[in-house]
Amino acid sequence: MPDTPPVILAAEPGSFPYSVLAERHPAIIRQVREAFPYGPEQHRALDALLENCTKGTVEPLPATAPDRAAWAAWGADEYTGRSWFDVPWLWSESWFYRQLLEAVGYFDAGPWQGIDPFRPFKLAELDSPETDEELAALDALDGRPAGEQDAALLHGSLWGNRADLGFRLSDADAEGRAAVPGLVADDSAALWSLVDGADTLCLVADNAGRELVPDLLLIAHLLAQGRVRRAILHVKPYPYYVSDATTADVVDAVRRLTRAPGAAAGYGRDLWSAMADGSLTVRAHPFSCAPLPYEAMPDDLRAEFAGAALTVVKGDLNYRRLVGDRRWPPTTPFADVTACFPGPVAALRTLKSDVITGLAPATEAALVAAQGQRWRTGGTHALIQVRP
């Protein structure tokens, strides 16, 4: 294992993490309060959160919060009284979303209990013309050679991450920019070798909407082709990071597919049947919302990943949790920083934060020469990395 560098903080003005706390989070608060007819209590709480997350210090959850003990174990007691900018960025980001749910009454008994504050944005994305176009493209894929279908669906799942709602809040032009040169690492051959004939595939989902749909399409394809016997889809137990997928989002996505014309409806019916017969299972483990790296996962989750032929980890946040949200030199071997993961693991990720590992020296040099450090956070580059 290489020397462990420091965790990423958000304390440096002008840095990408600083912009997330200082600019993206306030934008999310404004968007959420405009999306629902919340009452005075929620508005006061959202105003207080806006003030606290930008200028205040970490405050404890209410004594009645159902997950207060879990968050205490995850660092809330240690970080109470410290600036949000002076604690690990991974932790402060996660804390923001937990406090946002607190502000809108998500966990409290009352009329707003269980109401996803991000649901309008997720549904709008599912019903967008862009989603229609992407689903229509499945008709052209039908009947193509198996290798072409494999590559198209894998890359659809990979690049679907660019539909991340939270990312677009701070970079509205990200989706329109060309993805050149595209992949900075491509271990897809190793991924397919692990998938073929697998008993169990785990896929740790990231975002809902137009990212979750291609994830589900990939799973349906692997099951229908007999490449894997069963799939386990890990989602969040409650709304998180604006667009992270929950069980409700899985249901919405499958329903969206079944209502679509053409080949997409067949995928939707296959997924519906797979959920009914157990060949596709949805999991929502509490650790999925923990502000910690996977190295700290509990034993039951570790055992599940250990029993899979491959775990596919989707998206930027899950990548940060997989390798550790630290200032790794980009050429640090991916296998070294994922050694703590209990089984074979693959990362499918578009780059939208600073952390990166596993690059060839020549690749890093070319990226820096062409773009400075913008390639790390712009969402125009992606990677497929595998540790067997």
Side-chain angles (χ1 to χ4, degrees), residues 233-238 245-247 282-288 304:
L233 179 65
H234 284 261
V235 297
K236 302 298 191 295
Y238 52 77
T246 66
T247 303
V282 179
R283 294 268 197 276
H285 196 285
F287 188 77
S288 295
E304 182 159 295

Side-chain angles (χ1 to χ4, degrees), residues 121-180:
F121 321 128
K122 295 174 177 178
L123 292 179
E125 185 178 274
L126 268 185
D127 292 333
S128 69
E130 291 83 2
T131 301
D132 292 334
E133 293 171 8
E134 289 159 4
L135 295 182
L138 292 170
D139 295 340
L141 191 62
D142 193 29
R144 302 298 299 171
E148 289 186 23
Q149 294 189 31
D150 288 348
L153 291 169
L154 178 63
H155 282 259
S157 178
L158 170 66
W159 288 106
N161 185 241
R162 294 173 71 184
D164 179 344
L165 296 173
F167 180 61
R168 291 212 307 272
L169 281 174
S170 59
D171 191 354
D173 297 326
E175 269 191 279
R177 289 197 299 270
V180 179

Side-chain angles (χ1 to χ4, degrees), residues 96 104 148 152 159 197 250 272 281 291 297 332 344 364 367 373 380:
F96 169 78
V104 299
E148 289 186 23
W159 288 106
V250 175
W272 197 286
T281 304
M297 76 179 79
T332 304
E364 182 198 6
L367 289 166
Q373 297 300 322
T380 57

Side-chain angles (χ1 to χ4, degrees), residues 39 65 148 151 174 182 230 242 303 349 379:
E148 289 186 23
R230 64 190 292 257
V242 183
R349 175 212 181 192

